[in-house]
Amino acid sequence: MEKDEWLLHSSSFGTAAAAYAEHRPDYAQAAVRWALEPAPGLRVLDLGAGTGKLTATLVALGVDVIAVEPDPAMLTELRRALPTVRALPGSAEAIPLPDASVDVVLAGNAMHWFDMAVAGPEIARVLAPGGILAGLWNVMDDQVDWVAGLAQVSGSAAIGPRDTPTSWRAETAGMHLPKTGVAARFRSPEQAEFPHGLRRTADSLVATLATRAGVLVMPEQEREATLGRIRAFLASRPETADGEFALPMLTAVLRVRRL
């Protein structure tokens, strides 16, 4: 992705902050526990926290969490939903926290937006010795026939290579590394996947996919055509045509330790 296109995609979510808060899924608690397991403590930074989907899971687990989010509209939604959480404006490249102030940095569906040549040293700066960086992604299980069909119909803008277990490991294995010659700040990665069921209707699944960056930046006519194909596919499948259904998902985790 070219830099201008990357910037357009990464800055698209604020326009749909309320829809993102309503329709995006939370994260499997087992996945979050696994991400936290080797950490030296439980002071956690949710980096690129969005509207607080991962933050809320951390709160439910009783973790001491600080949220940092660059988009003002997303940050407003987070503060509205989780008024007791310390939530700060900032980014992975400029974290508004002191050195060695957290034990874990988590990023829920956000690490792929980080410029790790800058963010890597910055994340390492705020992590305590032995601290953990982990990225979490909710992926649709395309080993299920109708989900594979949905991915094909939707196109990569709505369901991309990080969104299915078939390819997320390859897509994220080096996500913690800088794309330049800058030295890496983290050890070799570990990856794991955890079941995460989600109830959806055809309408709410379409609404969820409409919050994907690739869909948000489409010209209106193209976006409506894409969402129309998805609606037609869901209406054609017995698994999804009538009422609520279980969307087969996994929460996938990349975990690395600070050098």
Side-chain angles (χ1 to χ4, degrees), residues 30-76:
V32 178
R33 289 192 187 96
W34 185 81
L36 300 174
E37 187 178 55
L42 287 179
R43 299 172 301 166
V44 179
L45 167 61
D46 182 3
L47 186 56
T51 61
K53 294 292 183 175
L54 178 56
T55 317
T57 304
L58 290 162
V59 169
L61 291 172
V63 171
D64 178 15
V65 58
I66 299 170
V68 168
E69 167 57 36
D71 188 281
M74 301 286 272
L75 189 59
T76 296

Side-chain angles (χ1 to χ4, degrees), residues 12-32:
S12 65
F13 297 110
T15 61
Y20 193 106
E22 181 179 359
H23 295 293
R24 283 291 184 107
D26 61 4
Y27 295 84
Q29 288 194 0
V32 178

